Amino acid sequence: MHAGDLRIETWAGTREACIAEAVDAVVGSFIGPARPSPSARSSFRVTGGTDAELLQAVLGQVISDVLERQEVPVATAVSVIAEGLEVCRETVSAAAILPSGALPKAVSRRSALCRRFPSGWWCTARIDL
């Protein structure tokens, strides 16, 4: 890890809620706590063999959509599907926000962890800025 990285950590009662919180943490790192009103909705699906792979895939897709499609999620819901996870987002155009922090570039390889504990779920990832 170097000074240009961001580490996020989230906790929630379910794996899906914890992953949604991880998306919110990444987005919050560059737009701050205030969220503009959404102007569109979108969704995507991810697959993975482990919970960590699912977290990595979700965060990777979100970051890719911010950078390539200029689509910033302001609200996220994650649900289980037979093949993995479905991520539904309410979004705004990147042009509609004034970034308050560095835009994420990628999820660092093998940095994503998603684990269940007796009290709920914990996720963490290192984000390259």
Side-chain angles (χ1 to χ4, degrees), residues 28-119:
S29 76
F30 67 90
I31 70 169
R35 298 290 191 267
S37 297
S39 58
R41 291 175 188 239
S42 65
S43 65
F44 63 88
R45 294 176 173 192
V46 297
T47 59
T50 67
D51 297 325
E53 289 174 357
L54 290 169
L55 174 63
Q56 178 98 23
V58 168
L59 294 178
Q61 184 64 52
V62 166
I63 292 168
S64 174
D65 288 348
V66 168
L67 297 174
E68 295 172 15
R69 297 176 60 189
Q70 302 292 295
E71 185 177 76
V72 179
V74 293
T76 304
V78 178
S79 57
V80 176
I81 57 172
E83 309 83 39
L85 297 175
E86 180 172 37
V87 180
C88 298
R89 307 170 293 176
E90 294 183 353
T91 63
V92 296
S93 167
I97 63 165
L98 180 60
S100 61
L103 290 176
K105 293 179 185 168
V107 181
S108 295
R109 283 184 61 107
R110 296 186 203 107
S111 73
L113 298 173
C114 185
R115 295 193 176 135
R116 184 177 187 165
F117 290 91
S119 60

